[in-house]
Each structure stands twice: as structure tokens, then as C-alpha cells.
Amino acid sequence: KQEVTQIPAALSVPEGENLVLNCSFTDSAIYNLQWFRQDPGKGLTSLLLIQSSQREQTSGRLNASLDKSSGRSTLYIAASQPGDSATYLCAVDHNAGNMLTFGGGTRLMVKP
Amino acid sequence: ETGVTQTPRHLVMGMTNKKSLKCEQHLGHNAMYWYKQSAKKPLELMFVYNFKEQTENNSVPSRFSPECPNSSHLFLHLHTLQPEDSALYLCASSQDLTSGVSYNEQFFGPGTRLTVL
């Protein structure tokens, strides 16, 4: 059974810092990995999707990497801003879209 | 309306009530999903529909009954729920589940916050 773990569970940083969020998964037979952002009490916003054949994806200040063989992904946020405060979730797709398994999330607070 | 919408946004119900959650997607997708997000637990997949046919039921109790009348609409009918069913229920959609497609980004609605008294 696929298990997804995110470390740390919570993170507080001053504005302007670069930071890395970690995601690990136990079964490397995945189709893709997706990073989401969730604001309190709200739905999920898709940030980046990395296909299993890719090593990284970039969108603005966000960069996500994938190392399938070691079962790891990282989300790098450059020059963090208070508006980046949210919970970040990673999810692995191990059945071509049928089954997304989510991690528990990292709750990020960026202080002005 | 764009993206994925869900109604109602908040719902309070007693254990003997019957209610329904509604999800609508305006993205031209053919796959739709229900997820449950409880406090301090990871998001859990409940049901998957592809072209109106249910393809996954992740061992969900029968007091939750999904319905997908067409590719744009998904319902979750609720009856005789328990207090532990209180959670945020999220709907999502994606292009479809055609065999061999490895890219299948899911787009989520804002969720329905359900409280069972």
C-alpha cells in the first residue's frame, strides 16, 4: 500500500527566505506526483505536476523535483512571501489518475 | 462559473437527516472524484467516476451514496450519518482515465464543510 509522508508537518520562516518542503513515498511505481496548496477551510489549488519521466517542474518562484528511485520529491519556494502561508500537500498518482494518495501536508507560515 | 463548484459550502445536519452534496465542473472533463478531509488525517479518496461510470469505491460505508448523472455533475447523497463523518468533502475532476494516459491533473472544488450533530 502506497504511503506518503511530508516533513516537516509545520514550518515558520521570515519573509524573503528560500525554503524546501519534503515529500516521500514508499512505492516508486507512480505515474506522476502533484503538489497542491490549501488555504484554511478551502479547496486545493494545483501548483505543479511532475510526470514520472520528468525530474523537475518550475512555475514562477516554485520548483518541484522528483527522484522516483528514492521515492522523494521536494518543493522549493524562492523568496517566500506572507501570501505563501498555507498548507502544502503532495499526492502521488499510482494508477493513471484513478487513485491519488496524499501526504499529511506541511503547514507553512511566512512572517512579515 | 469556471472550474469546479460545490454546493452547499457549509452544511449542518442531524444523524437522522437526508441531505445531498452537489459538485459541478465546467472544464469539459470526464472523470470526477469525491474526497474526504478529516481533521488531522490525510485526504482520503472516496469514489471515482469515469464517463459517468463508477470505477472506484474506496471501502466507503453505504450511508454515503454517490450519483453521477452526466460527466459534469456529481452528487453525494447522505443519510443516517455519524458525528465522525463531520469533515470537509472535496470534489475534483480530471480529463479522463483513458488507459495509458499518465498525465491526469486533478482540479478541486472549494469543498463542503459538513457537521453532523
Side-chain angles (χ1 to χ4, degrees):
Chain A
K1 179 188 171 188
Q2 178 75 269
E3 292 184 5
V4 181
T5 304
Q6 290 187 248
I7 295 173
L11 181 63
S12 181
V13 301
E15 181 177 5
E17 265 201 17
N18 302 324
L19 56 101
V20 175
L21 308 181
N22 297 293
C23 173
S24 61
F25 47 95
T26 54
D27 186 348
S28 62
I30 65 170
Y31 281 83
N32 60 54
L33 183 145
Q34 215 169 334
W35 281 94
F36 295 90
R37 168 188 172 137
Q38 185 175 30
D39 292 284
K42 303 284 182 64
L44 277 62
T45 301
S46 178
L47 298 173
L48 291 164
L49 182 147
I50 312 176
Q51 297 184 50
S52 61
S53 59
Q54 298 174 322
R55 285 203 165 262
E56 66 177 329
Q57 281 285 339
T58 298
S59 176
R61 293 183 294 110
L62 305 179
N63 176 278
S65 69
L66 174 64
D67 184 342
K68 233 177 66 165
S69 60
S70 67
R72 292 181 184 177
S73 176
T74 61
L75 179 67
Y76 175 82
I77 303 177
S80 58
Q81 302 170 359
D84 294 330
S85 299
T87 296
Y88 290 81
L89 298 162
C90 76
V92 297
D93 180 353
H94 49 100
N95 196 19
N98 224 16
M99 299 284 288
L100 271 186
T101 301
F102 281 82
T106 293
R107 193 169 63 256
L108 173 65
M109 171 73 72
V110 181
K111 295 178 287 187
Chain B
E1 288 277 16
T2 58
V4 182
T5 59
Q6 291 187 242
T7 55
R9 295 294 309 278
H10 300 272
L11 178 62
V12 179
M13 59 187 289
M15 290 192 287
T16 58
N17 291 158
K18 288 184 180 181
K19 297 287 184 183
S20 294
L21 309 184
K22 178 182 176 182
C23 175
E24 183 173 2
Q25 58 92 4
H26 309 268
L27 300 169
H29 290 162
N30 291 299
M32 296 188 78
Y33 312 76
W34 278 117
Y35 288 88
K36 175 182 179 182
Q37 188 174 36
S38 305
K40 299 181 181 179
K41 287 179 69 175
L43 260 165
E44 300 172 89
L45 178 70
M46 299 175 73
F47 301 103
V48 181
Y49 278 82
N50 192 43
F51 290 97
K52 303 187 296 177
E53 297 297 320
Q54 188 180 121
T55 59
E56 292 288 339
N57 176 337
N58 200 21
S59 303
V60 180
S62 60
R63 58 185 183 271
F64 295 92
S65 175
E67 178 190 1
C68 189
N70 55 61
S71 291
S72 298
H73 294 85
L74 184 65
F75 295 89
L76 188 62
H77 304 299
L78 316 171
H79 62 99
T80 59
L81 294 192
Q82 305 297 314
E84 59 264 30
D85 296 322
S86 299
L88 181 67
Y89 288 84
L90 292 162
C91 172
S93 71
S94 68
Q95 189 170 344
D96 62 53
L97 302 177
T98 304
S99 175
V101 173
S102 63
Y103 176 94
N104 210 344
E105 188 174 7
Q106 293 190 20
F107 295 85
F108 282 75
T112 294
R113 173 68 62 185
L114 174 68
T115 303
V116 182
L117 302 175

